[in-house]
Amino acid sequence: MANMKDIAEKTGLSLATISRAFNNVDKVSPKTRNLVLKAAKELNFRPNKMASSLRSGKSQTIGIVVPVIDRQVFSASIRRMEEVLRDAGYNIIICQTHESYVKELDVLENLQQLKVDGVIISVSKETQEGKHLQKLADSGTSVVLFDRTVELHDINSVVINNFQGAYLATQHLMEQGCRHIIHLGGNETVSIFKDRRRGFETALKENGDNLLTGVTIPFDDGQPDGIEALQDMLLAVDRPDGILAHGDISALVAMGIIRKMKLRIPNDIAIVGFGESTFCPYVEPSLSSINQCNEDVGKLAAEIMLKELQEKQKENLVFTQQVLQPKLMPRASSLRKT
């Protein structure tokens, strides 16, 4: 198997120059780098990334940590992160916490032992504070939060305006003639679900004179208590005529319950989800939803990570929270007026 000495003999360059060429050091001219890469290809040589990492102290690897990977909010974000990071020469390691704070701690410790250059993370439902993340950042590992965050100083984050998303959806339901709207709320240990409830309640208060009622019930993707509470409300004389779900999966669960009770969507009950999942246009009726810009969030989080890694060398870091604005995607499940 060819090694760097073979490339040195073939090109007449020093081992130091060849090493700099593989590590994209600015001192190496494009002509020299191309000469090295051409020789490496002819000799079927591949640089040992592990050895290079040990020498440089940089792994060229970013850890991406999410609660679960099978939700579009995370899978779509990861897809864009990978594109941006790989184009910049970084590998990625994807980890799941399964909504566990303990597993989150374990995952971050493992990534630190692997000497990743940075971590992009959306925290678990059980994560209430960020001391572990601050400790990781203070150790020299770059950290960027996305989607779900915790209160921290000196750590960048990318989120959407969850308050505005719920506000837009509730306004839309009122514009469609709904006067008894309920919110199927998420787990409020997570800040994004608190913000969605606040957006829902604010929209109701601003138009309260025309509404019979508005209420939030806990509805964590089909847990028995939430299903029973929704069924009881649908059986009541003053049943709801509009529903804002905290997520698209919860909206699907609600749609199934509504159909089983022989009620019509949207004529009897209009419904809006949250997340703009890929299935929204294809269910029957097609599901109105809030587009939370998952790919844009992932792209921006990766770009911020790259900038932070570059700026860290210059000690010129500026930490911010980037807030993207969601969009309402109205479809048949809520459109009563055309």
Side-chain angles (χ1 to χ4, degrees):
M1 181 179 295
N3 56 41
M4 288 176 60
K5 288 183 179 179
D6 297 323
I7 297 176
E9 291 177 4
K10 186 175 181 65
T11 61
L13 299 171
S14 69
L15 289 174
T17 299
I18 293 167
S19 177
R20 287 195 291 268
F22 283 123
N23 288 294
N24 291 318
V25 176
D26 292 338
K27 292 180 181 179
V28 179
S29 69
K31 182 179 178 180
T32 299
R33 183 175 289 114
N34 290 335
L35 178 63
V36 171
L37 294 177
K38 181 181 178 183
K41 185 176 180 180
E42 291 173 353
L43 293 169
N44 196 28
F45 169 81
R46 292 185 180 181
N48 187 326
K49 291 186 177 181
M50 183 68 74
S52 177
S53 298
L54 291 172
R55 288 193 300 270
S56 67
K58 297 181 180 180
S59 66
Q60 290 297 115
T61 302
I62 305 297
I64 299 175
V65 182
V66 295
V68 289
I69 202 170
D70 60 352
R71 292 293 175 90
Q72 185 167 339
V73 60
F74 302 121
S75 61
S77 294
I78 289 171
R79 183 168 60 249
R80 290 310 301 275
M81 288 177 195
E82 182 178 23
E83 290 174 1
V84 173
L85 294 171
R86 285 199 181 279
D87 285 347
Y90 285 85
N91 296 308
I92 66 169
I93 300 174
I94 302 170
C95 305
Q96 300 182 86
T97 63
H98 300 285
E99 299 289 11
S100 165
Y101 174 67
V102 172
K103 288 182 180 177
E104 185 171 293
L105 291 175
D106 186 53
V107 163
L108 292 176
E109 183 178 346
N110 290 337
L111 290 173
Q112 192 169 19
Q113 289 178 359
L114 290 170
K115 299 187 182 302
V116 297
D117 297 318
V119 171
I120 304 175
I121 180 171
S122 183
V123 300
S124 76
K125 285 181 180 179
E126 295 181 358
T127 302
Q128 298 301 300
E129 50 84 26
K131 290 181 181 177
H132 58 309
L133 297 170
Q134 192 66 61
K135 183 179 178 182
L136 181 63
D138 291 343
S139 74
T141 303
S142 294
V143 178
V144 175
L145 291 159
F146 80 101
D147 186 60
R148 301 184 194 172
T149 66
V150 287
E151 290 282 339
L152 285 171
H153 299 292
D154 298 338
I155 290 185
N156 286 305
S157 61
V158 183
V159 299
I160 68 154
N161 190 332
N162 286 281
F163 174 94
Q164 182 67 11
Y167 182 92
L168 289 173
T170 307
Q171 272 197 326
H172 168 69
L173 288 168
M174 290 188 290
E175 289 168 357
Q176 298 302 308
C178 297
R179 291 296 176 264
H180 182 182
I181 305 171
I182 64 172
H183 174 43
L184 305 181
N187 187 326
E188 293 205 6
T189 61
V190 182
S191 61
I192 62 172
F193 299 127
K194 288 182 183 178
D195 291 340
R196 291 175 192 180
R197 177 175 56 80
R198 286 196 307 107
F200 166 73
E201 292 174 348
T202 299
L204 292 179
K205 287 177 183 177
E206 290 183 359
N207 297 273
D209 292 343
N210 299 319
L211 292 170
L212 295 175
T213 186
V215 66
T216 296
I217 61 173
F219 199 87
D220 195 5
D221 292 358
Q223 293 298 316
D225 290 348
I227 289 176
E228 185 176 340
L230 177 58
Q231 288 172 333
D232 289 344
M233 296 189 82
L234 294 178
L235 288 170
V237 175
D238 59 341
R239 69 170 182 250
D241 58 2
I243 293 176
L244 166 60
H246 73 82
D248 292 332
I249 299 295
S250 289
L252 279 184
V253 173
M255 289 171 73
I257 295 170
I258 292 167
R259 281 194 290 263
K260 285 182 180 178
M261 300 185 78
K262 308 299 182 183
L263 297 171
R264 299 168 299 165
I265 305 171
N267 303 63
D268 297 320
I269 303 175
I271 185 164
V272 179
F274 209 110
E276 186 58 9
S277 301
T278 52
F279 59 73
C280 289
Y282 306 111
V283 295
E284 181 59 41
S286 56
L287 178 60
S288 300
S289 187
I290 293 295
N291 184 340
Q292 58 188 86
C293 313
N294 299 321
E295 293 196 1
D296 292 339
V297 168
K299 180 176 182 290
L300 185 54
E303 289 173 344
I304 289 173
M305 172 58 71
L306 292 175
K307 183 177 180 182
E308 183 170 325
L309 290 170
Q310 293 166 0
E311 293 292 338
K312 186 173 286 188
Q313 310 304 318
K314 305 174 185 177
E315 297 182 353
N316 190 31
L317 292 174
V318 177
F319 298 96
T320 61
Q321 180 176 82
Q322 299 285 339
V323 182
L324 304 184
Q325 296 304 315
K327 304 171 186 175
L328 173 68
M329 309 298 289
R331 297 190 180 92
S333 70
S334 65
L335 288 173
R336 289 173 166 178
K337 299 179 179 180
T338 57

